[in-house]
Amino acid sequence: MLRSLVVLFLLWIKVKGLDYVIVHQRWIFVCLFLLPLSVIFDVYYYARAWLIFKMCSAPKLHDQRVRDIQRQVRDWRKQGAKTYMCTGRPGWLTVSLRVGKYKKTHKNIMINMMDILEVDTKRQVVRVEPLANMGQVTALLNSIGWTLPVLPELDDLTVGGLVMGTGIESSSHIYGLFQHICVAYELVLADGSLVRCTEEENSDLFHAVPWSCGTLGFLVAAEIKIVPAKPWVKLHYEPVRGLENICKRFTEASANKRNTFVEGLQYSLDRAVIMTGTMTDHAEPDKINKIGLHFKPWFFKHVEGYLKRDCTGVEYIPLRHYYHRHTRSIFWELQDIIPFGNNPVFRWLFGWMVPPKISLLKLTQGETIRRLYEQHHVVQDMLVPMKHLQDAITRFHKDIEVYPLWLCPFLLPPGRGMVHPKGQEEELYVDIGAYGEPKVKHFEAKASTRQLEKFVRDVHGFQMLYADVYMEREEFWEMFDGQLYHKLRDELGCKEAFPEVYDKICKSARH
Ligand SMILES: Cc1cc2nc3c(=O)[nH]c(=O)nc-3n(C[C@H](O)[C@H](O)[C@H](O)COP(=O)(O)OP(=O)(O)OC[C@H]3O[C@@H](n4cnc5c(N)ncnc54)[C@H](O)[C@@H]3O)c2cc1C
C-alpha cells in the first residue's frame, strides 16, 4: 500500500515536474513548520518590546548600544578599514525578497536596536530605534491614542529600512513618503562619530539619508511625527470600470485632502475598486467590519466582492485593522504559497497563525524556489507622476500583466535628496505595486523589468530599491538625483567605508 502511494507520488512529480511540485506544494512545509514558528517569533518580540518600554529601560540601554556601534566602527578603522561595512542584520531577516551577497564580504556592524525610546505627545514626536517595526509601533501608539501619519502596512517593516529605503501608505497623498514625516535622524558615521541631523542642523545629511540604503552611515535612532488617532476608519468602496474612468476617479480622490486614506486595487486593465477613508470616533454598529480578525476573508478578496456585486459600500474598520489590512495575506502574495489560505475552514482553524514570517520564508526557500521566483514572479513598486497613471498601467499590462495592482497616491515635495519631482513644485505621484505571477507569454525577468524601468525613467518616476533593479549605473543615476549624495560621500569619508548605493542594490550585488 505504502509502496504504491510512493510510486504514485513519484509519478505525479514526474508528470508535473519537480520545480512545479516544489513551488506549488510549498504549503505543506509552510503550514507544518513555518506558521507555528512564526507565532513563537511574534509572541517573543511583542512581549520583549512591551516589557522594555514599560520598565523604561530603553533610553538608558540605547546610549550604551550606540557607544558599542561607535566602538565597532573605530575598531574597523584601527584594523585598516580593509572592506566596506554594512549592518549585521542577516539578509534573510529583511522584508525585501532578496538576500545581499555583500553581507558575506563586508564588515558586519551589529545594530541590535529594536526599541521605542520615547513618545513625546507635546512635541508630537516618537523617538525610535532602527529595528523597531511597524507592528510594534502601532501596537504601542494606537493604545495611547496616537499614530504615525504614514504607517506602512506590513508588521515587519522596520524604521531603519523605511528611512534608508522608503515607505508609503494610503495617507501619503497628504503626508508624503515615510521620510517626509521624519524630523530627525541620529547616525554613526564612517569615522565613528555620532551626529544628529534635522532640517536645520546638518541639513544636507538630513536630505541625503532617505534612499541611501545605509551608504552614508548607520542609523541609530529616528524622530518621527505622530498625530492623534481615532478608533475607526470609515471606508468607502467604489467599483470603477474603464481605464480612463479609473484614472480619473483615482486622481480626483487623491487630490481631495478631505480623504485621510486613498487606495486603489486594480483587478484587470479596466476594473478597479477605489477606496477612500476618514478616521472617526464613532461607528454605525451595523456597518462595523473587524477585517483583522483571523477568520475574516483576506482584504483584497473582500474588496473584490464589491466589484463582483457591482455596488458601492461603506464600512467602519478598527484603525489598527485598517493599517495592517494587507498583512495577513502579504498583499496577495500568500495565495501563491498557501492556495487555500482564504478558504473559510482554513481561516477559522489556522487563520490566527497567518502570515508566516517573510524572513522564515526566505530562510527556508532554497535555491530552486529562489531561482523560480526570480524568473516567474514579479515584486516591484514603481513610483510615477499621477499624470502618467493611465500610460503606466497600460505599460504594466503589456510588459507583465500582473493583477491585482496596488495603487497608492503620494505627495512628493521638492527637495535636494535622491528623490524629488523634476520642478520646484510639489507633485502628486502614485506607487504602482505589482506582486505576483506575470501572465504575459513573453515575460522575461530582465528584459521585461528593463522595459518598465525605462518607462519609469522617461516619465521622471522612481523604482523602489528593495526590488530587483536591472538598470545600468548611468541609467540609475538618470533616475535618481545623485548630486547631494555624492557630495556627502566625499565629505564624510564614505567612499572607503560603504559601497555606492547602486553597487549595493543592483542585481549583480545580490544572489
Ligand atoms: C513583500 C513586500 C511588501 C512590502 N510592503 C510594503 C508596504 O506595505 N509599504 C511600504 O512602504 N513598503 C513595502 N515594501 C517595501 C519596503 O518599504 C522596503 O523593503 C523597505 O526598505 C523596508 O524593508 P526592511 O524593514 O526589511 O528594511 P531592510 O531591507 O532591512 O533595509 C533596507 C535598506 O536600509 C538599510 N538599513 C536598514 N537599517 C539600517 C540602519 N540602521 N542603518 C543603516 N542602513 C540601514 C539596509 O542596509 C538596506 O539597504 C514591501 C516590500 C516587500 C518585499
Side-chain angles (χ1 to χ4, degrees):
M1 170 73 176
L2 188 66
R3 196 182 290 173
S4 32
L5 275 177
V6 172
V7 172
L8 267 177
F9 183 62
L10 291 175
L11 256 177
W12 179 65
I13 292 180
K14 196 164 167 33
V15 173
K16 290 283 189 185
L18 185 61
D19 282 355
Y20 175 93
V21 173
I22 289 176
V23 171
H24 289 89
Q25 310 311 320
R26 197 177 173 196
W27 62 267
I28 301 174
F29 178 70
V30 170
C31 291
L32 289 181
F33 298 102
L34 292 198
L35 287 183
L37 255 182
S38 303
V39 173
I40 295 171
F41 250 69
D42 278 340
V43 170
Y44 167 74
Y45 279 113
Y46 282 118
R48 184 191 172 285
W50 187 83
L51 257 180
I52 288 192
F53 191 77
K54 289 288 163 197
M55 288 163 61
C56 295
S57 59
K60 205 168 92 212
L61 296 174
H62 174 75
D63 293 343
Q64 266 173 35
R65 288 194 286 250
V66 172
R67 282 196 293 276
D68 182 54
I69 293 164
Q70 291 180 284
R71 182 195 52 76
Q72 292 179 62
V73 173
R74 287 180 183 136
D75 284 352
W76 163 83
R77 212 159 251 298
K78 272 189 219 145
Q79 286 154 14
K82 291 192 194 91
T83 56
Y84 289 138
M85 292 181 285
C86 66
T87 60
R89 189 182 186 211
W92 59 268
L93 262 178
T94 67
V95 170
S96 157
L97 300 179
R98 299 284 154 244
V99 180
K101 274 187 205 160
Y102 60 83
K103 294 275 181 192
K104 291 189 192 131
T105 53
H106 294 3
K107 165 82 179 160
N108 283 219
I109 302 295
M110 301 315 293
I111 302 183
N112 190 17
M113 309 177 104
M114 51 183 81
D115 293 320
I116 298 174
L117 298 172
E118 192 187 353
V119 183
D120 183 339
T121 48
K122 270 205 187 116
R123 277 178 63 222
Q124 303 209 347
V125 159
V126 59
R127 182 163 170 253
V128 284
E129 292 187 326
L131 282 181
N133 70 32
M134 289 303 106
Q136 199 182 329
V137 170
T138 38
L140 180 85
L141 284 183
N142 293 179
S143 70
I144 53 174
W146 292 86
T147 190
L148 297 185
V150 175
L151 205 133
E153 355 229 312
L154 295 192
D155 283 6
D156 289 342
L157 293 168
T158 63
V159 167
L162 295 165
V163 167
M164 290 286 176
T166 197
I168 190 168
E169 171 50 344
S170 55
S171 53
S172 286
H173 64 296
I174 297 176
Y175 297 103
L177 297 171
F178 193 79
Q179 71 202 60
H180 301 119
I181 60 160
C182 293
V183 291
Y185 305 126
E186 292 165 43
L187 295 135
V188 171
L189 300 180
D191 61 359
S193 60
L194 174 68
V195 293
R196 183 169 186 274
C197 57
T198 66
E199 189 68 61
E200 289 83 31
E201 185 186 352
N202 296 312
S203 139
D204 277 358
L205 185 58
F206 181 69
H207 283 275
V209 158
W211 296 75
S212 67
C213 293
T215 60
L216 291 173
F218 294 110
L219 184 77
V220 292
E223 282 177 33
I224 312 171
K225 278 183 210 160
I226 54 175
V227 289
K230 292 183 181 172
W232 302 98
V233 172
K234 181 180 181 185
L235 194 66
H236 180 258
Y237 303 82
E238 178 188 357
V240 188
R241 285 166 203 271
L243 182 57
E244 208 178 315
N245 206 16
I246 291 170
C247 297
K248 184 170 163 284
R249 280 293 304 120
F250 187 71
T251 308
E252 280 166 9
S254 308
N256 183 349
K257 296 273 164 66
R258 277 187 310 227
N259 294 323
T260 319
F261 304 105
V262 178
E263 175 184 28
L265 294 189
Q266 179 133 5
Y267 291 88
S268 70
L269 187 59
D270 58 0
R271 294 178 319 133
V273 178
I274 293 171
M275 286 159 277
T276 50
T278 45
M279 278 196 219
T280 69
D281 282 315
H282 304 286
E284 295 172 53
D286 56 326
K287 291 185 182 153
I288 288 175
N289 186 1
K290 298 187 177 177
I291 56 170
L293 294 177
H294 73 274
F295 50 84
K296 289 283 181 169
W298 285 348
F299 186 66
F300 75 98
K301 287 286 180 195
H302 170 63
V303 176
E304 195 177 15
Y306 287 93
L307 200 55
K308 289 188 172 150
R309 295 189 298 276
D310 199 17
C311 65
T312 57
V314 171
E315 282 180 340
Y316 291 82
I317 298 173
L319 179 65
R320 195 150 182 269
H321 292 214
Y322 175 79
Y323 279 143
H324 299 295
R325 64 202 177 280
H326 294 302
T327 296
R328 274 195 303 133
S329 50
I330 320 181
F331 285 79
W332 25 99
E333 290 281 36
L334 200 58
Q335 64 183 351
D336 291 339
I337 299 169
I338 309 178
F340 47 83
N342 194 40
N343 180 292
V345 179
F346 181 87
R347 289 199 317 256
W348 274 95
L349 293 178
F350 305 109
W352 56 277
M353 291 178 144
V354 163
K357 285 207 114 34
I358 293 180
S359 47
L360 295 179
L361 284 170
K362 278 169 73 180
L363 183 67
T364 56
Q365 70 183 350
E367 186 51 26
T368 310
I369 293 187
R370 195 197 62 73
R371 190 171 34 80
L372 288 171
Y373 255 69
E374 193 169 296
Q375 286 160 8
H376 304 293
H377 201 88
V378 166
V379 181
Q380 289 284 349
D381 280 84
M382 298 291 190
L383 318 184
V384 298
M386 186 67 88
K387 59 186 178 236
H388 296 293
L389 177 59
Q390 189 165 339
D391 290 344
I393 293 174
T394 312
R395 191 75 253 170
F396 269 69
H397 184 79
K398 281 188 188 143
D399 289 343
I400 55 176
E401 204 183 329
V402 167
Y403 292 103
L405 284 177
W406 190 52
L407 304 180
C408 183
F410 68 99
L411 197 64
L412 192 59
R416 306 181 275 136
M418 284 174 62
V419 168
H420 55 78
K422 209 173 175 78
Q424 286 310 306
E425 299 289 311
E426 64 181 18
E427 190 171 345
L428 200 55
Y429 270 63
V430 53
D431 173 0
I432 306 180
Y435 324 118
E437 208 174 315
K439 294 287 179 295
V440 287
K441 293 224 165 50
H442 55 269
F443 178 79
E444 203 274 300
K446 183 172 178 182
S448 306
T449 311
R450 275 188 62 75
Q451 232 159 301
L452 271 186
E453 289 169 345
K454 176 164 182 353
F455 169 83
V456 172
R457 277 199 307 281
D458 288 348
V459 298
H460 199 73
F462 308 94
Q463 179 174 25
M464 274 204 193
L465 300 183
Y466 76 83
D468 283 342
V469 175
Y470 290 91
M471 287 184 282
E472 300 292 331
R473 190 182 305 272
E474 300 70 48
E475 294 168 334
F476 181 86
W477 288 118
E478 196 185 305
M479 178 180 279
F480 296 98
D481 183 348
Q483 226 176 329
L484 184 62
Y485 172 78
H486 290 301
K487 175 177 154 267
L488 278 166
R489 287 210 11 115
D490 277 338
E491 286 175 11
L492 300 177
C494 298
K495 285 184 162 171
E496 55 163 359
F498 309 106
E500 187 186 302
V501 58
Y502 174 77
D503 293 312
K504 189 165 179 186
I505 57 90
C506 74
K507 203 69 186 77
S508 56
R510 298 160 159 188
H511 278 293

